Amino acid sequence: ARRKDSVGVALIGLGGYATHQLAPGLQLAEHCHLAGIVTGSPHKIPVWQEKHGIPDRNVYSYDDFDRIADNPDIQAVYIVTPNDLHMPLTLRAANAGKHVWCEKPMAMDAAEGQAMVDACRRNKVQLTIGYRLQHEPNTQRLVAMAREKPYGKILKVRADAGFHAYDDVDPADKPWRLLPQHGGGAMYDMGVYSLNAARYTSGQEPVAVTARQENRRPQLFEGVDETMYFTLEFADGAVAECATSFGQNMNTLRADCENGWYELSPFQTYSGLKGRTSDGQLFADGVPHQQAKQMDDDALAILNGTAPLVPGEEGVRDMRVVDAVYASARDGGRRIV
Ligand code: NDP
């Protein structure tokens, strides 16, 4: 039997991130534990049951998962599926009375994201988005600097997140990240890191967006973006130049201010974030396990009945900009957000 002060979590979608980051994170976490699984792959069930001591009654498929409503072992679900399933699974979990932790990007667009927020509010369950970096101390230092402005007004932010991959993919058998119907493309996958970082580093919401898409491997990237460049304009005249890509390695976040600059590079990795400033400060205040920290923060919000650090509304704010990025990339026009 589990302690009453630990949130029982069911992982939905036992793929790469659930297997290699979230399950280990749940083993390290103090305020939550892995209690159940939801999977469409029967062969994974015995492996996960044995490794994590999951009883038969806490194993679900996508078809029978609404029965989770009656399961007192599980208070929260963590949705770690392809992006197109985030919204429908969130609605089902909320209607089953479970708190929802959902991976980024929150949804396919802002309307879906808002429907998720509304469903969770209606069912009085929490909704939080898996922006692990917002729980991470180097990132939190940048958030504080956006407030305190130690180098004066922030004039320009640069946020680049991408990697080169998929050269070996068979165009007839593409993974979901290259398929439009599943929410594929660099913007949804890595671009939301650039976008979210531009927002927390500037401390402001963008008022306008201009975007440009570049596909150098068109046979691989059909109907999805390989590289996206986007510029955010803020009300005080500051701008954020952002880039994201499945074709280029990049991982830098930088703020240029009136009286200096600072940057985190890399800023988006699971560990090893490194910060430096124009006056020679270095910082690298890692945590032992980002996802354990994130899930402990989110579990405590449930246990204490307090607002989560990264609520669904934060995801909707990003999705509104993502919608504008895709719209602008279609015709090059500037979009008011
Ligand atoms: P994977 O492809 O490795 O795993 C996705 C899992 O979803 C599959 O293993 C499968 O699990 C389930 N699934 C359900 N329906 C489908 C379908 N139609 N096609 C494929 N898989 C399906 O993806 P990741 O784990 O890398 O990513 C999952 C989510 O997590 C994404 O939203 C991604 O953006 C996010 N993510 C976030 C990261 C972060 O740092 N915050 C890092 C990596 C990913 P099963 O067989 O059990 O049903």
Side-chain angles (χ1 to χ4, degrees), residues 55 316 335:
V316 175
R335 289 295 191 289

Side-chain angles (χ1 to χ4, degrees), residues 229-253:
Y229 301 99
F230 55 103
T231 304
L232 310 179
E233 299 171 41
F234 300 101
D236 70 350
V239 294
E241 296 288 355
C242 303
T244 188
S245 183
F246 281 157
Q248 301 167 46
N249 294 314
M250 46 192 177
N251 205 323
T252 296
L253 174 58

Side-chain angles (χ1 to χ4, degrees), residues 150-180:
Y151 301 92
K153 185 173 167 346
I154 299 169
L155 305 174
K156 188 177 166 191
V157 172
R158 211 183 156 92
D160 297 343
F163 53 84
H164 183 95
Y166 303 115
D167 281 336
D168 301 330
V169 165
D170 172 0
D173 185 24
K174 292 180 185 176
W176 67 264
R177 276 187 173 80
L178 303 186
L179 295 170

Side-chain angles (χ1 to χ4, degrees), residues 13-17 39-41 44 62 80-83 85-86 103-105 130 132 176-177 182 189 193 270:
L14 309 178
Y17 194 56
T39 179
S41 304
K44 296 178 184 173
Y62 298 105
V80 208
T81 61
N83 303 330
L85 296 174
H86 292 181
E103 260 315 318
K104 47 54 59 179
R132 57 187 161 77
W176 67 264
R177 276 187 173 80
H182 290 301
D189 194 56
Y193 285 106
Y270 296 147

Side-chain angles (χ1 to χ4, degrees), residues 11-19 21-22 38-44 48 62 78-86 89 102-106 130-133 175-177 182 188-190 192-193 268 270 290-291 294:
L11 288 173
I12 308 186
L14 309 178
Y17 194 56
T19 303
Q21 303 299 329
L22 298 181
V38 181
T39 179
S41 304
H43 70 274
K44 296 178 184 173
W48 279 72
Y62 298 105
Y78 197 151
I79 299 168
V80 208
T81 61
N83 303 330
D84 59 313
L85 296 174
H86 292 181
L89 288 167
C102 181
E103 260 315 318
K104 47 54 59 179
M106 175 184 201
Y131 283 122
R132 57 187 161 77
L133 296 169
W176 67 264
R177 276 187 173 80
H182 290 301
Y188 279 133
D189 194 56
M190 297 297 284
V192 292
Y193 285 106
Q268 183 274 335
Y270 296 147
Q290 286 180 10
Q291 290 82 2
Q294 169 202 329

